[in-house]
Amino acid sequence: MYTLLWLQGLTCNGNTQSLLNAENPSFYTLFDKINLLYHPSISYDVDLFEIINQIKNDKLPLTFLVVEGSITSDKRFFSIGDYSIAQIIDALKEKADYIIAVGNCACFGNIPANFDKNSDVKGLQFRFKEKKGFLPSNFKSKKGYPVINISGCPIHPQWFVSTILNLLYKKPVYLDGFNRPKELYMYLTHDGCTRNEYFEWKVELEEFGHKEGCLFYNQGCRGPLTHSPCNKVLWNNTSSKTRAGMPCIGCTEFDFPLRENFFETKKNMGIPEEVPIGVSKRVYITITGVAKTLKNERVNKRLEETE
Ligand code: SF4
């Protein structure tokens, strides 16, 4: 029997909303295969503490412990009954085959950890970029994995479902430096964006929502700096922020809530302070200079003007 227990710490519930939107397989199909022991927003008439006791006493196996939201031991911030979320995770951490953090709060502490930098609010194994989360940096669950981080604010449901199914069917899940599945996070948001040609020819978007132009040069798009498959695994199977004309705000990265003004590209003498991952500033200046000089007439026209 495969089982899944979903717990929440300090969270807005966004990843739960995502889970409910899962397709292929849907939420219902997924939980045909897996016994959902408890979910705070979905379960009713279930005694969480009875379940925790059974798991602690090895009367109930725990395949997946899924955590949404930041962790704190301070019951003034958040408690479940008489217990803090930290105490509950502490009681279960040795029992789970896999522990999965869903969303940037559970992965890195995110917005709740940023409110008070001196508080004990953190992610499960990271606090922003440091491996100083609630569980020790060398922690591994029963199947030998560290906390598997599915980062994003919120996550795409398919990122969670595909990771669960890979683990269930014993496919290896390779992790990056932030313990995120490489199969998902080796991509950049930029990969697959329909605005790539505008990026290459340095054609800037004039206003949010326009079909033409790239959002990197003025509107703060983090696509070339953010690891996510947002333009590979499309949202609602249809689109993405950047396709719709809204800049990527880098919400899968540890520093997402630490930045200011998401809709502005910080520049120094007209050159973006941060250039795409893998490119030096010198190469970037050369390539964009050439692209700007050798103007591509087609991409400089509004789409309705092209033949
Ligand atoms: S809009 Fe963003 S993601 Fe799309 S091509 Fe431009 S920089 Fe890349």
Side-chain angles (χ1 to χ4, degrees):
M1 174 175 58
Y2 300 116
T3 61
L4 188 148
L5 176 65
W6 185 295
L7 294 175
Q8 287 179 331
L10 297 162
T11 177
C12 72
N13 226 29
N15 304 288
T16 291
Q17 301 296 327
S18 266
L19 173 72
L20 294 172
N21 283 310
E23 294 175 278
N24 193 24
S26 70
F27 172 82
Y28 296 103
T29 315
L30 182 69
F31 289 109
D32 268 354
K33 294 186 198 315
I34 301 170
N35 179 6
L36 178 61
L37 298 175
Y38 175 80
H39 186 297
S41 307
I42 298 165
S43 304
Y44 62 95
D45 216 10
V46 177
D47 184 344
L48 172 64
F49 295 104
E50 175 57 28
I51 289 170
I52 292 172
N53 271 336
Q54 287 190 31
I55 295 168
K56 273 173 63 184
N57 296 322
D58 296 322
K59 298 208 168 109
L60 194 57
L62 181 57
T63 317
F64 300 106
L65 174 61
V66 180
V67 180
E68 171 182 19
S70 326
I71 311 304
T72 176
S73 57
D74 192 333
K75 288 189 229 166
R76 287 172 310 163
F77 290 158
F78 185 76
S79 64
I80 303 174
D82 290 337
Y83 300 92
S84 70
I85 181 68
Q87 285 172 310
I88 294 178
I89 290 167
D90 206 35
L92 296 174
K93 65 180 192 282
E94 306 293 346
K95 300 292 179 184
D97 286 349
Y98 308 99
I99 301 184
I100 301 181
V102 287
N104 261 35
C105 293
C107 296
F108 303 120
N110 202 29
I111 293 165
N114 196 35
F115 272 131
D116 178 359
K117 298 204 172 53
N118 299 317
S119 72
D120 78 335
V121 178
K122 50 189 81 162
L124 269 177
Q125 214 161 9
F126 283 82
R127 191 170 200 279
F128 300 114
K129 72 173 171 192
E130 292 183 291
K131 249 191 165 178
K132 289 186 178 167
F134 173 65
L135 295 171
S137 60
N138 60 356
F139 171 84
K140 295 216 163 107
S141 62
K142 272 167 73 183
K143 293 286 184 188
Y145 281 91
V147 173
I148 298 173
N149 284 333
I150 315 282
S151 64
C153 194
I155 60 164
H156 188 300
Q158 201 62 30
W159 306 346
F160 172 71
V161 170
S162 66
T163 304
I164 291 273
L165 291 180
N166 280 337
L167 294 168
L168 213 56
Y169 291 112
K170 313 265 182 295
K171 291 194 179 160
V173 174
Y174 300 108
L175 303 179
D176 70 8
F178 286 111
N179 296 349
R180 301 176 294 192
K182 282 188 182 170
E183 194 171 321
L184 300 166
Y185 295 91
M186 63 186 251
Y187 299 97
L188 298 178
T189 312
H190 183 68
D191 298 336
C193 177
T194 48
R195 296 171 189 273
N196 272 339
E197 208 177 7
Y198 297 106
F199 176 84
E200 285 158 18
W201 290 100
K202 204 168 185 298
V203 177
E204 296 162 28
L205 178 115
E206 287 166 20
E207 271 182 53
F208 286 163
H210 277 191
K211 286 191 167 59
E212 308 86 355
C214 168
L215 300 102
F216 180 69
Y217 304 104
N218 287 327
Q219 319 286 357
C221 183
R222 306 283 301 175
L225 297 149
T226 300
H227 295 88
S228 96
C230 280
N231 275 304
K232 181 171 178 279
V233 183
L234 296 178
W235 291 77
N236 294 326
N237 279 331
T238 305
S239 194
S240 69
K241 280 198 192 78
T242 61
R243 288 182 183 210
M246 146 87 190
C248 163
I249 53 175
C251 76
T252 53
E253 299 295 359
F254 72 85
D255 61 350
F256 159 61
L258 306 177
R259 277 180 274 113
E260 286 166 14
N261 200 349
F262 289 126
F263 305 120
E264 183 196 335
T265 304
K266 290 209 171 49
K267 291 186 212 154
N268 200 345
M269 299 184 45
I271 298 159
E273 280 179 11
E274 291 175 90
V275 295
I277 293 175
V279 179
S280 71
K281 217 164 230 180
R282 197 157 58 91
V283 170
Y284 172 82
I285 294 168
T286 310
I287 290 176
T288 49
V290 171
K292 198 84 180 159
T293 317
L294 303 174
K295 204 167 165 184
N296 179 330
E297 295 295 340
R298 183 175 55 83
V299 295
N300 274 282
K301 284 185 184 157
R302 298 290 307 261
L303 286 174
E304 60 259 38
E305 294 167 3
T306 53
E307 289 170 12

